[in-house]
Amino acid sequence: MIERIVDFFGDETYAIRRRRLFYLVLALIVVADFLVSREHAEYLWERLPGWSAVYGFGSCVILIFVSKFLGHQGGLMRREDYYD
């Protein structure tokens, strides 16, 4: 069973199925977000459908760019043969 799951996510022959599954799950999440009651939201942006997804995606992208900047420009990354 676990081998089939690993093959599904690791094998290139399942790439189209994975992409379709991803889009299906994404569409279901967007549809479900429109069904959520927002009567207790305090701020305007909390009432917008999809706000949490946009905020999460933006935060993730910013985190990646900051970590890459710190790694390359901040001197945190070293050469592969640094300790040799």
Side-chain angles (χ1 to χ4, degrees):
M1 176 68 177
I2 194 76
E3 186 177 334
R4 289 180 65 199
I5 294 172
V6 169
D7 285 343
F8 179 75
F9 286 106
D11 197 359
E12 194 61 35
T13 58
Y14 296 108
I16 294 173
R17 282 189 193 169
R18 280 193 313 260
R19 189 171 293 127
R20 286 181 183 162
L21 179 65
F22 169 73
Y23 288 138
L24 176 68
V25 170
L26 182 64
L28 289 174
I29 290 172
V30 169
V31 168
D33 196 29
F34 280 96
L35 301 175
V36 173
S37 173
R38 302 194 193 296
E39 61 189 44
H40 297 292
E42 290 188 34
Y43 302 105
L44 172 67
W45 54 85
E46 291 177 342
R47 291 186 177 97
L48 298 174
W51 164 251
S52 298
V54 171
Y55 182 75
F57 179 75
S59 299
C60 184
V61 169
I62 289 172
L63 181 67
I64 290 170
F65 280 120
V66 167
S67 65
K68 283 196 157 291
F69 174 77
L70 288 175
H72 293 288
Q73 303 297 325
L76 295 178
M77 283 182 52
R78 300 285 185 226
R79 296 184 324 271
E80 188 173 331
D81 60 349
Y82 179 74
Y83 291 106
D84 289 342

